[in-house]
Amino acid sequence: MPAAASCVGAGLTSTSEEAKLLTGQTQVFLPFPDARFIAVFTLDTAAMEYWGEFCDMTASILETVSFGTPSDDSSDRPPDHT
């Protein structure tokens, strides 16, 4: 988990004093199948106490990424009952 401290200006805090804010970031790079492009997914947060949950949610979202056409992925979707 990469973490960094950022400074928050005095004008943006309730105490009118500069404050440090611990933040975390994760990035995932997914190359397209033809290797011409790369999809970049980035998550930044200052809510470090929820880092594990954010990582789990990001992993779940990334599992849904597909480079096929929607018709190629139709078997993975529930039937449309409209």
Side-chain angles (χ1 to χ4, degrees):
M1 157 185 52
S6 301
C7 285
V8 179
L12 299 174
T13 66
S14 61
T15 62
S16 297
E17 295 179 13
E18 192 173 273
K20 290 192 183 212
L21 180 65
L22 181 65
T23 60
Q25 180 187 80
T26 185
Q27 282 190 320
V28 177
F29 299 88
L30 295 175
F32 280 59
D34 65 4
R36 292 178 42 202
F37 302 101
I38 295 178
V40 180
F41 293 84
T42 304
L43 170 74
D44 284 295
T45 185
M48 295 302 293
E49 65 273 18
Y50 298 106
W51 183 257
E53 289 89 341
F54 290 141
C55 288
D56 292 343
M57 286 187 287
T58 301
S60 294
I61 291 167
L62 290 169
E63 288 175 358
T64 68
V65 174
S66 171
F67 292 100
T69 61
S71 61
D72 293 341
D73 296 335
S74 62
S75 62
D76 294 336
R77 280 186 265 138
D80 183 9
H81 296 291
T82 56

